Amino acid sequence: MKGKNIWKKCLMFDVCCVCFLFLMVITGTGKGAKLQQGLKTAAGGLETIRQASGAAQEENVSGEKKKIALTFDDGPHPQYTPEMLVALKERNVKATFFLLGQEVEKYPEIVKQIQEDGHLIGNHSYKHEQLSKLPMEQACNQVGRTNELIYGITGLYPSYLRPPFGDWHEKLDCEVNMVEVLWDVDTLDWSSQNHAKIVEKVLKNVQENDIILMHDGYETSVTAAMEIIDTLQKQGYEFVTVDQLLFE
Ligand SMILES: [Zn+2]
């Protein structure tokens, strides 16, 4: 009888080991997919690997909350970026701001505030020109000058670059140490400036691990971002910065 109990325990132990190994494989696969997504994005590809997720599902297979990243381009804006920062803080949400060097020069105190609030700051070039159409030296200068401006305020060089219009090419290798970040859902918020349209575009298309493209230069973008956050948080999404989404 005693021997049988020991055998039973061994069997249970084996079953647990198998379950544990199975879970490890699932978890490992998830992280691998995320890293691959990061590398694909870093290589400049628009295509990203998506992980299947149900809208009502609060956690993914590895038991983590579903991650999503809000990104705001073209700032800082003197009125709407501070409004966005207040609203993000109220919701305990971290986002990523891809800043233009020419706006950084005008509003350094807002850049400082973005950093102090714990958001990630990325580079969106100096004055929003299509970099692949510029001579190499000028294109590199657009990126390098903005990096220096941001460094002068935050003490940190940005590691992430979003080229204007998502346009970059391999010959522009002046900032090879930067990771290019594109997007999965383009809200076209700058074009519509329509709260309902922006919200609908995101809620209809969003999936786990998506990067959402918005702009912090419009009142409608602020109010839409807040509705998007409030709705998706209820669906179990956690808003993170792009570095957390791509590499953690
Ligand atoms: Zn832009």
Side-chain angles (χ1 to χ4, degrees):
M1 200 58 190
K2 210 174 174 185
K4 205 175 177 184
N5 276 340
I6 288 169
W7 182 83
K8 256 191 186 171
K9 275 183 188 165
C10 285
L11 181 66
M12 281 178 73
F13 179 71
D14 283 350
V15 170
C16 286
C17 282
V18 169
C19 290
F20 179 70
L21 282 170
F22 182 61
L23 278 172
M24 290 280 286
V25 167
I26 290 175
T27 311
T29 307
K31 292 230 160 129
K34 276 180 210 162
L35 184 59
Q36 212 171 341
Q37 177 185 11
L39 292 175
K40 277 202 165 199
T41 310
L46 275 163
E47 190 190 352
T48 54
I49 293 171
R50 293 174 183 278
Q51 291 181 317
S53 63
Q57 185 188 352
E58 294 206 349
E59 292 179 342
N60 58 23
V61 283
S62 52
E64 296 166 340
K65 277 199 155 192
K66 297 179 293 184
K67 287 181 186 169
I68 191 169
L70 282 178
T71 62
F72 300 105
D73 288 9
D74 298 1
H77 185 279
Q79 182 177 349
Y80 300 122
T81 306
E83 281 185 20
M84 190 75 86
L85 290 174
V86 169
L88 291 173
K89 195 182 253 181
E90 284 170 359
R91 289 160 177 81
N92 196 26
V93 162
K94 304 297 180 216
T96 305
F97 291 80
F98 289 98
L99 305 180
L100 285 174
Q102 65 181 8
E103 304 307 314
V104 169
E105 270 180 335
K106 287 189 228 165
Y107 311 110
E109 69 291 348
I110 302 177
V111 178
K112 193 78 197 149
Q113 192 63 50
I114 295 172
Q115 181 190 33
E116 282 175 10
D117 286 0
H119 304 291
L120 182 67
I121 294 176
N123 183 329
H124 194 44
S125 84
Y126 184 77
K127 56 177 185 176
H128 216 279
E129 288 185 84
Q130 198 166 346
L131 298 178
S132 67
K133 297 213 165 138
L134 292 177
M136 177 81 78
E137 202 186 320
Q138 281 182 36
C140 292
N141 187 42
Q142 284 269 323
V143 177
R145 190 174 172 190
T146 302
N147 275 347
E148 291 299 335
L149 284 165
I150 292 170
Y151 176 80
I153 296 163
T154 64
L156 291 171
Y157 282 107
S159 301
Y160 297 87
L161 170 70
R162 175 170 283 158
F165 316 104
D167 179 48
W168 186 249
H169 64 73
E170 286 163 14
K171 285 185 183 166
L172 290 173
D173 58 355
C174 39
E175 296 290 341
V176 283
N177 56 336
M178 296 190 81
V179 177
E180 184 191 14
V181 178
L182 298 175
W183 56 85
D184 300 294
V185 180
D186 184 355
T187 60
L188 296 173
D189 57 342
W190 60 273
S191 168
S192 73
Q193 293 185 44
N194 179 310
H195 170 99
K197 273 191 184 169
I198 300 165
V199 172
E200 188 191 6
K201 183 118 188 169
V202 175
L203 298 184
K204 262 192 177 171
N205 296 291
V206 76
Q207 298 186 56
E208 182 180 1
N209 288 334
D210 271 356
I211 296 173
I212 315 294
L213 168 60
M214 299 190 78
H215 299 78
D216 47 329
Y218 309 93
E219 183 71 50
T220 43
S221 297
V222 180
T223 57
M226 295 315 118
E227 188 174 337
I228 289 162
I229 290 168
D230 293 342
T231 306
L232 292 181
Q233 278 184 332
K234 282 185 200 139
Q235 293 179 15
Y237 282 93
E238 179 188 12
F239 288 85
V240 297
T241 49
V242 292
D243 54 342
Q244 292 176 305
L245 190 143
L246 296 173
F247 296 111
E248 279 186 11

